[in-house]
Amino acid sequence: MPLLWGYRPFLEIRFESEPPYLLQTIKVPQLPPPDKKYIRIARLRIATDGFHDQMRLSDFLRRDIWGDDEIVVGSCAGWNPVVDICTANTRLVWSMSAGNEEILSRESEGGLSKAAYMARRDQLSDGFFGIYSALSPQLNRAPQDGWENFSADQYLALAGNIETVVK
């Protein structure tokens, strides 16, 4: 039983390693470029609905796609600094390149406000790391410690308050 089915670059399906090999996660590891209206996954042609790989977390939160789901926006400054959006069954993840981590660290030395820090973090989180569908997205976070959670409105308020950052 293959435990990972991959339809690169746009879809991965992972199963548990023990019988009955239940579905563990469905992952969309990357979004299409901004100029693509459709993507092909195996024999399927799927509309991108305006989603693309250069969208920031704040761009996703501003889209009218969330319905009544409770959304948790997380920020982790651990060994792999990421920001994410978690709903009941879905997790969208952004990471930072090493260069952008260095920029944020250097800019933070002067003591940024929380709003300025989150706004810069939103700007510098340039690596879309995937959409995951799982039974418990927040429990699939790695590492499990070091997360600060926000509501969508709290995050957008912080990320929208960009202050002048001394370079």
Side-chain angles (χ1 to χ4, degrees):
M1 170 70 183
L3 300 179
L4 176 65
W5 296 2
Y7 302 92
R8 298 266 178 200
F10 297 113
L11 181 65
E12 294 176 8
I13 302 171
R14 183 176 302 276
F15 297 91
E16 291 183 355
S17 59
E18 300 296 324
Y21 307 108
L22 297 175
L23 178 64
Q24 187 177 28
T25 60
I26 298 172
K27 177 183 177 186
V28 177
Q30 77 180 63
L31 292 174
D35 60 340
K36 296 287 185 185
K37 291 186 179 182
Y38 296 93
I39 57 172
R40 291 191 181 276
I41 299 174
R43 295 183 179 184
L44 300 175
R45 184 176 175 191
I46 300 170
T48 62
D49 291 328
F51 296 106
H52 56 81
D53 64 354
Q54 295 175 5
M55 292 182 79
R56 295 183 185 136
L57 185 144
S58 57
D59 296 332
F60 269 88
L61 286 177
R62 288 184 184 102
R63 299 298 290 265
D64 188 25
I65 60 171
W66 303 106
D68 294 332
D69 281 347
E70 186 174 323
I71 299 169
V72 174
V73 178
S75 173
C76 183
W79 54 271
N80 181 17
V82 297
V83 288
D84 69 8
I85 299 172
C86 289
T87 67
N89 298 101
T90 306
R91 180 173 180 235
L92 292 84
V93 183
W94 284 261
S95 62
M96 275 189 275
S97 65
N100 283 351
E101 281 182 57
E102 188 176 307
I103 290 169
L104 185 60
S105 176
R106 188 173 51 245
E107 291 175 354
S108 298
E109 288 173 359
L112 296 176
S113 71
K114 184 175 199 120
Y117 177 84
M118 293 306 292
R120 280 301 279 160
R121 184 160 187 166
D122 188 70
Q123 288 178 334
L124 295 172
S125 293
D126 58 355
F128 182 76
F129 209 53
I131 301 173
Y132 300 80
S133 181
L135 292 177
S136 184
Q138 288 188 53
L139 292 178
N140 286 345
R141 287 174 165 171
Q144 275 293 295
D145 299 327
W147 288 87
E148 184 174 5
N149 291 324
F150 306 92
S151 71
D153 290 339
Q154 289 170 328
Y155 182 85
L156 287 172
L158 288 170
N161 284 322
I162 191 74
E163 296 175 4
T164 304
V165 178
V166 179
K167 299 205 185 243

